Amino acid sequence: MTRIVFSGGRVFTGRATEPGDVVVEGDRIVDVGIGLDGDTVVDATGHTILPGLFDCHVHFMFSGADLVRSLNTPFSLPFYEAIGNMKATLECGITTVRDALGADLGVAEAVRRGLIQGPRMQIAVNMVSQTGGHNDDWMQCGAHISPPLHPGLPDTVADGPEELRKVIRTLVRHGADIIKIASSGGVMSPRSNPRHAHFRDEEIAMIVQEANAAGIAVMSHAMSGDGILTAVRNGVRSIEHGVFLTDEGVEEMLKNGTWLVPTLMAPRMVLDQAAAGVAISDVILDKARTVVAQHTQAFQKAHAAGVKIAMGTDSGVGPHGDNLNELTLMVEYGMTPAEALYATTTSAAELMRLGNELGELAPGKLADLVLVEGDAEQHVKAGTLKQSVRAVYQNGVNVI
């Protein structure tokens, strides 16, 4: 088996970058150190070698927040658009994602079988919401405005523990690797309020119980302080967004070991699209403007307290391929560049229960590597990391 050595670069260790070489055989890293040899040499002089990056919150089947466009898009077109969305994400060096709503088992299998190129993924299939919640597509005119459900995407609006038990089992049947719920309202749903908690304790307890029985975890879209608390005390693995996080919520997350996936980009992507002329309702824009400042404070509060943080963007709400801007925002609001990279590698791998295989450059791990020209930490700070990616390897194969 050919032994490939990435030689002469600097290796990100999880907390810092140090001089080093990385040796790959087949789909695995077999050695990391100084002065290593191989059958084939990839000259990494002047480059930083990173583990494959993670984005723990994407939507490959979405291509922006333009409702009018989506209503005029043929049903099958988003499946083809997803191919480009995946490639744009892979080009950033992101080799693993959680698709938080939209991609069905067929989309995931197309990547797993090598039919299309993209990050390996865990899929939520659809988001579980209460009636009138963040995934209820009812509009004031009386119409339902989401694309029609298809056999791979079951209806997931439900109320009460027994309805929810059925929904979770249905999602597992449909191939869900992760269960996503909405324990609060959100920005993009015009009839829900981000400050209001959704689902009661007994409902989320049932969701988590059924997910655990299937060997999978629960991620919760949670903006309101009470919605965060209800989700955390009932055992969800991660809080997505966490906009109105309270001190009590921080304490509960620390006690339970819950991750925060902040998606600082998400409301900003909505506002950027509106500024570019996309037709977005005033109701949604008002909510996006309201949450931005509070979102930043919540992130800073969680980081300062030592809450576990993993990188996620909500790409799909805005453009795919800009994912690494999230790292720069994380640094702007208090993280060091090394901490932001850790959140995008080791911490994210642990959140997704992939730490035994990914997230670090270490012997025995899958050979996902990203070659970045120059100092990756400086690029994170400057917002130039994407432009500096020179090669991406997934399972030992040069894919970009």
Side-chain angles (χ1 to χ4, degrees):
M1 189 177 293
T2 301
R3 180 180 166 97
I4 303 172
V5 57
F6 297 80
S7 177
R10 294 182 63 84
V11 175
F12 182 68
T13 65
R15 297 297 186 184
T17 52
E18 301 173 356
D21 306 331
V22 180
V23 180
V24 171
E25 288 185 15
D27 65 352
R28 297 280 168 176
I29 297 169
V30 295
D31 204 357
V32 179
I34 300 289
L36 304 179
D37 60 7
D39 304 309
T40 301
V41 176
V42 175
D43 185 4
T45 303
H47 291 71
T48 306
I49 308 171
L50 301 175
L53 306 178
F54 284 68
D55 189 330
C56 296
H57 195 127
V58 303
H59 300 282
F60 282 144
M61 292 291 290
F62 303 158
S63 299
D66 191 335
L67 176 60
V68 174
R69 176 185 178 276
S70 68
L71 291 173
N72 287 280
T73 296
F75 169 76
S76 58
L77 186 61
F79 289 90
Y80 296 93
E81 291 178 331
I83 297 171
N85 295 340
M86 292 177 193
K87 184 176 181 183
T89 304
L90 200 57
E91 287 173 346
C92 297
I94 294 169
T95 59
T96 307
V97 303
R98 287 190 311 184
D99 189 288
L101 184 167
D104 67 2
L105 184 57
V107 174
E109 281 295 304
V111 174
R112 292 165 188 167
R113 299 182 188 191
L115 300 178
I116 56 177
Q117 192 178 71
R120 68 177 61 77
M121 67 179 80
Q122 294 179 355
I123 58 170
V125 181
N126 207 350
M127 177 168 60
V128 183
S129 166
Q130 70 176 44
T131 299
H134 189 43
N135 202 31
D136 186 339
D137 63 0
W138 184 87
M139 303 293 284
Q140 292 181 80
C141 66
H144 290 263
I145 50 79
S146 289
L149 295 173
H150 60 83
L153 200 70
D155 184 9
T156 52
V157 175
D159 303 285
E162 290 307 317
E163 281 191 15
L164 289 161
R165 185 199 300 274
K166 180 73 169 180
V167 164
I168 302 311
R169 291 178 178 180
T170 301
L171 285 168
V172 172
R173 182 181 69 186
H174 280 68
D177 305 296
I178 182 86
I179 298 298
K180 184 188 180 186
I181 69 171
S183 64
S184 81
V187 169
M188 296 301 295
S189 46
R191 293 297 299 163
S192 76
N193 188 328
R195 293 183 180 272
H196 290 173
H198 290 177
F199 291 133
R200 306 289 79 80
D201 286 276
E202 63 273 15
E203 292 175 310
I204 297 180
M206 176 65 81
I207 291 167
V208 172
Q209 180 185 58
E210 288 298 323
N212 287 344
I216 59 180
V218 179
M219 59 191 291
S220 181
H221 161 101
M223 293 188 170
S224 83
D226 288 342
I228 293 167
L229 275 172
T230 308
V232 173
R233 68 173 169 249
N234 285 288
V236 305
R237 190 163 177 85
S238 68
I239 293 296
E240 314 296 305
H241 318 305
V243 173
F244 298 104
L245 180 65
T246 63
D247 291 343
E248 185 182 0
V250 167
E251 291 176 10
E252 198 73 20
M253 291 181 76
L254 290 170
K255 182 173 76 176
N256 288 276
T258 312
W259 269 265
L260 174 66
V261 180
T263 68
L264 295 168
M265 290 174 60
R268 292 167 172 81
M269 289 190 290
V270 175
L271 297 176
D272 287 346
Q273 288 174 87
V278 173
I280 298 174
S281 75
D282 290 340
V283 171
I284 289 174
L285 285 177
D286 286 346
K287 288 195 285 185
R289 293 186 188 104
T290 298
V291 305
V292 167
Q294 189 64 42
H295 203 177
T296 299
Q297 293 172 24
F299 171 78
Q300 291 172 324
K301 184 196 299 280
H303 173 244
V307 170
K308 293 187 289 189
I309 294 174
M311 195 279 267
T313 61
D314 222 353
S315 292
V317 171
H320 297 270
D322 292 341
N323 310 58
L324 301 185
N325 291 345
E326 182 76 13
L327 279 72
T328 302
L329 287 173
M330 294 163 92
V331 170
E332 182 178 346
Y333 296 122
M335 278 188 166
T336 66
E339 287 175 327
L341 287 169
Y342 180 83
T344 314
T345 53
T346 307
S347 183
E350 291 174 357
L351 166 61
M352 291 179 61
R353 295 176 171 166
L354 295 173
N356 290 335
E357 296 278 8
L358 294 161
E360 296 177 286
L361 298 173
K365 304 279 187 174
L366 285 170
D368 281 20
L369 299 88
V370 183
L371 265 65
V372 174
E373 186 174 2
D375 185 331
E377 293 185 42
Q378 288 300 315
H379 286 307
V380 167
K381 187 174 182 179
T384 53
L385 185 60
K386 174 185 175 180
Q387 299 91 315
S388 305
V389 171
R390 295 294 174 260
V392 179
Y393 290 77
Q394 189 181 43
N395 296 324
V397 177
N398 186 188
V399 293
I400 299 295

